[in-house]
Amino acid sequence: MAEIRIDTVRKVFGKFTALKDVSLTVHDREFMVLLGPSGCGKTTLLRCIAGLEYPQRGRIYIGGRDVTDEPPRRRQIAMVFQSYAVFPHLTVYENIAFGLRMQKKRDDEVKRRVGRSADLMQISHLLERYPAQLSGGQRQRVAVARALVMEPAVLLMDEPLSNLDALLRLQARAELKRLLQEVQTTTVYVTHDQIEALSMGDRIAVMQQGEIVQVDQPTRVYDDPMNTFVGGFIGSPPMNFLKGALRGANGASAVSVGGQTLQVPLRLTTPPQGDVLLGIRAENIEAYRQPTPGSLPARVLVVEPLGSHLLLTVQVGEEVAKVATRTDFPVAPDETIYLQPEPGKIRLYDSQTKLLLGASA
Ligand SMILES: Nc1ncnc2c1ncn2[C@@H]1O[C@H](COP(=O)(O)OP(=O)(O)OP(=O)(O)O)[C@@H](O)[C@H]1O
Ligand SMILES: [Mg+2]
């Protein structure tokens, strides 16, 4: 059992609070992704789990044991850093064996464990090579093998794919996901790449300015962002947020947007009245050439053919939104089209707090 429990951890650097009383539980064998923009505290949180930073407040438990006051080597963790720093003068074999040699393990045990971990990462045929003779993706797998060989209870990875070019990153992502599924070690994986987070994580913890704002399965984070920050950060393009006003009671609420009224069936016990933000993703808006009942007229500003779909930038009332359509949708800039958001996909946000008010029914 290697559950990680982070309990109200605060980390302050001088006058700057990098972690504002963060709490998070990572289940045994779970693959948890920490996602957020640069400077939000991802590395700092990972370093606190590793024991490389000491929090001013809060406790950290690994496998039920309070490790807050324990040094890194007593925490049964292994960490893969962003600059995965393999030793250039050592072969792949000796790179992977390094930690075991430090622990003065016997040769036969080193051989057995290096062999197994190289097998897992599918680099057994590369053991005699030097890092300079490897591709970026292979070097990255050496770094992971070097961590796994320590048989850690917890694997911590800080942007391990960020040194790779876009195509290699895509391959390495799928490969790493498959390999780590076999290992079944509790993993905390840091990235600022939302696609990586969506594709790899069992759950995603989204961070914003030293706080965790949402912890959920990828589909939940994508479909029901807790606030407009999460909806804007996850997904490409970001979720649209249109200013609107809410009227009507539960079950039959109407939101007026850009002078048009949309019926939004809401599941709220106390529906708020007044200003709201209507959140809707580009692919959840149907576009028509002719007006349909209750549709929003929009002026097309930009048409971008993206291969699998067209991405339209449109003006709705005072606001700009993104709409995805089929590639055969006939449309040109300056034309007027009519938009129909899928009722089940509309999310309403408080215009002040930016928090999710509730999902439509
Ligand atoms: N040793 C330090 N001294 C002072 N400030 C620090 C220190 N380490 C981190 N910080 C600050 O804490 C904040 C969080 O840093 P952190 O490295 O955790 O961000 P991050 O989310 O990992 O960002 P990135 O995606 O750029 O790696 C930043 O504003 C950073 O400048
Ligand atoms: Mg970082």
Side-chain angles (χ1 to χ4, degrees):
M1 271 294 285
E3 178 193 83
I4 306 168
R5 193 154 66 81
I6 299 159
D7 184 12
T8 50
V9 161
R10 181 182 306 169
K11 180 68 202 172
V12 180
F13 295 111
K15 286 188 181 149
F16 180 77
T17 307
L19 296 176
K20 302 172 185 166
D21 301 354
V22 166
S23 294
L24 176 70
T25 299
V26 184
H27 305 313
D28 184 31
R29 298 179 198 191
E30 187 174 30
F31 194 106
M32 175 69 80
V33 174
L34 290 183
L35 174 70
S38 187
C40 70
K42 305 180 296 292
T43 297
T44 305
L45 183 54
L46 207 64
R47 288 173 60 84
C48 285
I49 301 171
L52 300 169
E53 298 285 0
Y54 190 82
Q56 275 80 4
R57 184 192 157 181
R59 310 302 296 173
I60 293 169
Y61 304 84
I62 296 178
R65 200 162 58 90
D66 185 344
V67 297
T68 320
D69 297 314
E70 301 213 334
R73 67 190 153 75
R74 304 255 312 266
R75 295 191 182 198
Q76 271 201 291
I77 49 121
M79 188 152 168
V80 180
F81 293 91
Q82 177 170 348
S83 54
Y84 35 73
V86 287
F87 302 115
H89 60 289
L90 296 181
T91 60
V92 168
Y93 184 95
E94 286 304 330
N95 260 289
I96 300 174
F98 190 80
L100 300 175
R101 300 256 190 246
M102 296 296 283
Q103 291 183 348
K104 309 241 182 309
K105 297 290 185 209
R106 286 172 35 186
D107 270 349
D108 55 341
E109 181 175 355
V110 173
K111 193 168 171 207
R112 181 175 54 78
R113 284 171 65 173
V114 172
R116 207 166 68 91
S117 136
D119 269 353
L120 265 174
M121 288 293 122
Q122 300 185 350
I123 48 176
S124 308
H125 58 298
L126 303 173
L127 290 174
E128 300 312 316
R129 291 207 200 164
Y130 287 88
Q133 301 166 313
L134 303 175
S135 72
Q138 290 168 335
R139 230 173 288 162
Q140 193 264 332
R141 274 183 276 160
V142 174
V144 180
R146 194 172 57 173
L148 289 178
V149 81
M150 305 311 290
E151 296 173 2
V154 168
L155 183 60
L156 305 174
M157 304 176 101
D158 195 353
E159 311 234 11
L161 303 183
S162 61
N163 286 354
L164 308 180
D165 67 43
L167 185 62
L168 197 56
R169 210 179 152 115
L170 213 69
Q171 291 169 354
R173 180 176 88 206
E175 218 161 63
L176 196 59
K177 178 174 179 175
R178 187 171 57 79
L179 297 172
L180 289 175
Q181 271 162 358
E182 283 173 38
V183 183
Q184 298 226 329
T185 303
T186 309
T187 303
V188 184
Y189 184 102
V190 164
T191 183
H192 62 259
D193 181 333
Q194 45 104 14
I195 301 284
E196 212 167 281
L198 289 171
S199 70
M200 294 183 85
D202 291 326
R203 284 192 302 160
I204 302 175
V206 186
M207 293 188 71
Q208 177 188 17
Q209 294 180 353
E211 289 178 291
I212 293 181
V213 288
Q214 183 166 10
V215 187
D216 257 321
Q217 291 167 358
T219 48
R220 284 297 302 266
V221 175
Y222 189 82
D223 286 337
D224 299 301
M226 284 301 293
N227 63 16
T228 57
F229 166 80
V230 176
F233 190 73
I234 293 185
S236 174
M239 190 178 243
N240 295 303
F241 294 103
L242 304 173
K243 290 197 191 106
L246 190 62
R247 288 183 273 110
N250 202 13
S253 296
V255 183
S256 64
V257 178
Q260 282 288 317
T261 298
L262 284 176
Q263 296 301 326
V264 182
L266 274 182
R267 282 175 306 184
L268 290 177
T269 39
T270 50
Q273 298 293 305
D275 292 347
V276 289
L277 293 168
L278 183 146
I280 182 85
R281 292 210 176 267
E283 69 271 24
N284 299 134
I285 302 175
E286 226 23 89
Y288 299 97
R289 295 305 325 241
Q290 304 298 330
T292 56
S295 62
L296 303 169
R299 191 164 70 89
V300 177
L301 301 175
V302 185
V303 180
E304 294 172 85
L306 295 182
S308 61
H309 62 278
L310 287 186
L311 186 63
L312 311 181
T313 307
V314 302
Q315 182 151 9
V316 189
E318 307 275 276
E319 293 176 86
V320 171
K322 301 280 188 185
V323 180
T325 70
R326 291 165 46 140
T327 49
D328 57 4
F329 187 69
V331 70
D334 268 340
E335 290 181 344
T336 298
I337 58 172
Y338 299 87
L339 306 178
Q340 191 97 64
E342 277 178 57
K345 295 290 188 177
I346 294 173
R347 304 291 178 261
L348 293 182
Y349 293 84
D350 187 298
S351 63
Q352 299 296 314
T353 64
K354 314 287 188 216
L355 291 174
L356 181 66
L357 292 169
S360 48

